[in-house]
Amino acid sequence: DTAVSQTPKYLVTQMGNDKSIKCEQNLGHDTMYWYKQDSKKFLKIMFSYNNKELIINETVPNRFSPKSPDKAHLNLHINSLELGDSAVYFCASSQDIRFYEQYFGPGTRLTVT
Amino acid sequence: GQNIDQPTEMTATEGAIVQINCTYQTSGFNGLFWYQQHAGEAPTFLSYNVLDGLEEKGRFSSFLSRSKGYSYLLLKELQMKDSASYLCAVRSLEGGAGSYQLTFGKGTKLSVIP
């Protein structure tokens, strides 16, 4: 059984479009995260939710909006996509907010043309 | 702010031992993690240190010195499958409300050669 799953795995879209990435974890974890990994492989946290509540909101354009319908799901919606949004987006989860032993999803490679 | 330094790339021979260093400067230090990331794949958790000393887990060990702001990951009996990027990540505890933050270093790409 997959612990943390993301869909889609690849996403190619044009500038200005709106897209969503879905994430689900079946580990019973309380905390979920979104990370962005750029072309230089630098991994940076974007958001963190604990029991559906937003607890970390890094300096990210407000075109990015996370939504957590329940603690097993954390989706990422991106409005008005820009070229600079091209990256791999990873969802992750951990037992609680202390980041200990995070499990990462397989990643979504977003390409904006 | 946070500053984490790791070498960009390293090469080592199959069967050998390699040490990947990580130095950091941070306020509110509250633990250090090492993750492994194979090309095109997700990071996977390797180790966690919050107190000074060495944590051993099979062929992998991680060391922390909080006073020096220094950690290393030691890989023994290197195998070809150990070729990957190794990410150091520092957790800090900020503010009176106890808000945890995690900052990753830029990773060290290890190439294991025959």
Side-chain angles (χ1 to χ4, degrees):
Chain A
D1 274 349
T2 305
V4 182
S5 59
Q6 288 178 235
T7 54
K9 191 164 172 60
Y10 299 96
L11 188 51
V12 180
T13 188
Q14 291 183 329
M15 284 175 58
N17 285 348
D18 303 338
K19 291 292 178 186
S20 293
I21 307 172
K22 295 187 175 180
C23 177
E24 177 180 0
Q25 54 96 2
N26 62 5
L27 297 165
H29 286 168
D30 285 345
T31 309
M32 295 184 72
Y33 313 86
W34 276 111
Y35 286 89
K36 179 181 181 180
Q37 190 167 44
D38 61 26
S39 57
K40 295 181 181 176
K41 309 301 181 190
F42 188 37
L43 192 63
K44 191 168 167 55
I45 192 165
M46 301 170 69
F47 303 103
S48 171
Y49 270 72
N50 186 57
N51 276 319
K52 302 194 300 175
E53 180 185 344
L54 180 66
I55 55 171
I56 292 178
N57 185 358
E58 292 297 313
T59 307
V60 173
N62 58 14
R63 299 181 294 104
F64 290 78
S65 52
K67 284 201 172 44
S68 182
D70 55 60
K71 76 172 194 178
H73 295 84
L74 180 61
N75 304 321
L76 183 65
H77 189 76
I78 316 170
N79 288 328
S80 303
L81 278 156
E82 300 178 357
L83 292 176
D85 298 332
S86 295
V88 180
Y89 292 84
F90 287 102
C91 175
S93 73
S94 64
Q95 192 75 41
D96 57 37
I97 62 170
R98 292 175 293 175
F99 291 99
Y100 182 71
E101 200 166 344
Q102 292 177 83
Y103 287 81
F104 282 79
T108 296
R109 182 173 291 278
L110 171 66
T111 303
V112 182
T113 61
Chain B
Q2 319 258 5
N3 189 35
I4 302 173
D5 281 315
Q6 304 178 235
T8 305
E9 293 185 42
M10 297 182 72
T11 301
T13 306
E14 195 175 12
I17 299 173
V18 71
Q19 177 174 312
I20 303 174
N21 296 326
C22 172
T23 57
Y24 62 88
Q25 294 170 306
T26 185
S27 56
F29 175 82
N30 192 262
L32 188 142
F33 301 86
W34 284 96
Y35 280 82
Q36 180 191 60
Q37 186 175 24
H38 285 100
E41 296 183 12
T44 55
F45 171 78
L46 285 179
S47 68
Y48 167 68
N49 295 71
V50 67
L51 300 176
D52 290 351
L54 190 68
E55 295 283 340
E56 296 187 77
K57 221 187 221 186
R59 295 189 298 113
F60 292 10
S61 303
S62 57
F63 172 82
L64 176 67
S65 168
R66 289 172 297 169
S67 62
K68 293 181 180 176
Y70 167 67
S71 173
Y72 66 71
L73 181 69
L74 194 71
L75 291 75
K76 302 176 186 174
E77 301 168 18
L78 277 172
Q79 301 175 10
M80 299 299 288
K81 68 178 183 180
D82 297 330
S83 293
S85 286
Y86 291 86
L87 311 176
C88 169
V90 171
R91 184 177 70 190
S92 58
L93 187 56
E94 301 178 359
S99 168
Y100 289 96
Q101 295 288 339
L102 188 72
T103 304
F104 278 85
K106 295 188 177 180
T108 299
K109 184 177 178 182
L110 174 67
S111 298
V112 180
I113 57 175

